[in-house]
Amino acid sequence: MFATIVGWAGATLAALLSGWTEIFSAMGALLLCLGFAVFLTERYRATELRRLWDNQVEVQLRFIWRYVRRLRPGHEHFGPPQHSLDEMERILDESFDDLMAAKSAERGLDTYRLEMALSILGTLQWGFGGLIMELLHG
């Protein structure tokens, strides 16, 4: 993405200085496309992370449920618990802390500043590129 933005900036500046109206406008379309690509990529990643987190919570609940079942009398056929209560507490604490950190990071995905900036600037450059170039180069 960074390379595309640098390429866009270079081509836009070159087109602006050289009076290449079509290239200048086309770079606006490229920037608009980049805005959509960033938006869709981030939403896809967020969806996949949510799916992973939901699965992690489900696994933790199953882990706790099985541990408690093994502690109850009459369930000897399950065998003794594989982890001590302290080990299980440590594992669940770490997992829960990771889950909370990931949920906190997820809030950052809900900002659309970059996508909006790229889309607005690209749309304006694409739509009004000819007028801008005519004003600058006559």
Side-chain angles (χ1 to χ4, degrees), residues 74-92:
H75 292 280
E76 292 79 19
H77 60 279
F78 287 118
Q82 296 170 342
H83 301 287
S84 71
L85 195 53
D86 290 336
E87 285 177 293
M88 187 170 165
E89 183 179 4
R90 182 189 55 76
I91 292 168
L92 290 174

Side-chain angles (χ1 to χ4, degrees), residues 91-112:
I91 292 168
L92 290 174
D93 278 346
E94 288 174 6
S95 182
F96 186 74
D97 290 343
D98 291 344
L99 179 66
M100 296 313 315
K103 286 289 190 183
S104 178
E106 179 185 17
R107 284 186 214 115
L109 293 175
D110 292 336
T111 62
Y112 301 105

Side-chain angles (χ1 to χ4, degrees), residues 7-58:
W8 164 83
T12 295
L13 185 61
L16 189 63
L17 296 175
S18 301
W20 301 331
T21 304
E22 293 83 13
I23 300 294
F24 184 79
S25 294
M27 289 298 103
L30 176 68
L31 194 60
L32 180 61
C33 180
L34 183 62
F36 285 134
V38 169
F39 174 79
L40 295 173
T41 300
E42 290 303 315
R43 296 311 147 249
Y44 173 75
R45 271 193 246 165
T47 301
E48 290 302 310
L49 285 174
R50 281 187 196 106
R51 199 174 320 199
L52 177 66
W53 296 329
D54 292 344
N55 184 50
Q56 187 178 9
V57 169
E58 196 174 310

